[in-house]
Amino acid sequence: MAHEPSEAVHAVHGTLTALRRWTPARIALGRTGSSLPTQEVLTFSAAHAQARDAVHTALDVDALCQALRRQAWPDVILAHSRARDRHEYLLRPDLGRRLDEASRERLLQSRPQRAVADLVFVIGDGLSALGIQRHAVPLLDAIRAALDPGLALGPVVVARQARVALGDEIGELLGARMVAVLIGERPGLSSPDSVGIYLTMGPRVGCVDAQRNCISNVRPQGQDLPTAARRLAWLVREALRIGKTGVDLKDHSGLPLIGAARSPMALPDADDPAPATPAPPHPAAR
């Protein structure tokens, strides 16, 4: 004979159902017999299709460059990794970490003759061109507003079929002190448009992940753009002060990991240390 669920089971289910207001995670989905409700199955299938689309959709470089110029980012350079197309990019991560010869020549010709840039931005499609298309320009604008006004910025490089380490070669060729790579992260089933920011001091071919700081899950529903921008500005300032990034630079900015407006939980005070960075770079994006 079937037993009615206990009061404890009802209480747990009620708590999980209430938590659904605050997270896109798939909790308290319910069931129909031994399976999920049809609506939840359809929602899961749609999210999976959206994630696959985010991986395979090509970056609209022309639209991105036009948007950058409209926001007064006039010095934009196009680059391409050694991965010839998306198929090769996904099968050969190593090719996404190095520039093709045409891009190397273009960047060498663009290297400043006298002034050294403190920071160069690289916008890479990564594993979610969708995230870059939606968020790269407003994120760059927020970063520019948060950075110290005396910082010398180099050109913005838009790179296709890019992995994180592609920024090392770009920064080296441009002679920059630091490089910040804004790149589409591998999409999850609730986050197809997430962007990661990777900051590296002294970029050069051969840098390892331990030399970078990572700000992950940057999107309006995750770590919102203004917060991520302020966090990067803090890391840039500290990196210039100590001359290092990565494991030698811990994030004590005290900034929240998610936007205060959406979090039902208490956020740390400004004097409380935030979780230390670097966070491990997303393995599929490196």
Side-chain angles (χ1 to χ4, degrees):
M1 184 175 64
H3 295 283
E4 290 293 324
S6 66
E7 291 185 7
V9 171
H10 280 300
V12 170
H13 180 76
T15 300
L16 290 175
T17 301
L19 286 174
R20 294 189 69 176
R21 293 182 299 159
W22 306 108
T23 176
R26 288 174 167 78
I27 59 174
L29 300 182
R31 68 180 185 180
T32 300
S34 60
S35 182
L36 291 172
T38 300
Q39 182 58 51
E40 296 298 342
V41 174
L42 294 175
T43 300
F44 180 89
S45 298
H48 185 258
Q50 195 174 32
R52 287 175 60 89
D53 287 347
V55 170
H56 291 283
T57 299
L59 181 66
D60 188 340
V61 173
D62 290 340
L64 179 60
C65 290
Q66 290 174 14
L68 286 168
R69 294 187 177 102
R70 283 197 300 269
Q71 295 303 112
W73 295 93
D75 196 1
V76 180
I77 304 173
L78 298 182
H80 201 291
S81 77
R82 293 181 183 176
R84 292 167 295 182
D85 52 36
R86 203 61 175 171
H87 180 73
E88 188 170 57
Y89 171 82
L90 294 173
L91 291 178
R92 293 285 305 274
D94 57 310
L95 296 180
R97 300 183 183 117
R98 296 299 303 273
L99 290 165
D100 64 14
E101 287 305 316
S103 298
R104 283 183 55 84
E105 291 300 320
R106 194 177 304 121
L107 287 163
L108 281 172
Q109 293 172 8
S110 302
R111 179 169 179 151
Q113 297 302 311
R114 292 193 179 90
V116 175
D118 293 316
L119 181 62
V120 162
F121 291 108
V122 176
I123 302 175
D125 48 7
L127 286 166
S128 177
L130 176 67
I132 291 300
Q133 209 83 59
R134 287 179 176 176
H135 308 313
V137 175
L139 177 56
L140 266 184
D141 290 343
I143 292 170
R144 180 169 54 185
L147 289 172
D148 294 336
L151 205 67
L153 299 181
V156 175
V157 179
V158 176
R160 288 174 288 180
Q161 313 301 354
R163 302 276 174 172
V164 171
L166 194 69
D168 299 333
E169 188 172 9
I170 292 171
E172 182 178 20
L173 290 172
L174 291 175
R177 298 177 68 184
M178 284 184 293
V179 64
V181 179
L182 284 60
I183 194 165
E185 293 184 316
R186 183 176 65 188
L189 290 175
S190 60
S191 55
D193 62 342
S194 183
V195 173
I197 309 173
Y198 294 81
L199 179 68
T200 309
M201 171 69 79
R204 65 189 184 282
V205 174
C207 283
V208 298
D209 293 336
Q211 295 170 265
R212 317 184 200 286
N213 288 83
C214 172
I215 303 171
S216 190
N217 193 31
V218 180
R219 59 193 183 100
Q221 296 78 22
Q223 182 164 195
D224 62 59
L225 276 57
T227 301
R230 294 196 303 273
R231 188 182 299 278
L232 179 64
W234 188 93
L235 289 170
V236 167
R237 185 166 57 249
E238 288 300 297
L240 289 172
R241 184 178 67 84
I242 69 174
K244 298 176 181 178
T245 52
V247 295
D248 294 310
L249 175 58
K250 306 300 182 184
D251 184 351
H252 295 296
S253 63
L255 292 165
L257 291 175
I258 56 175
R262 291 183 311 282
S263 174
M265 299 173 289
L267 298 174
D269 295 326
D271 295 331
D272 293 338
T277 54
H282 208 298
R286 287 180 291 186

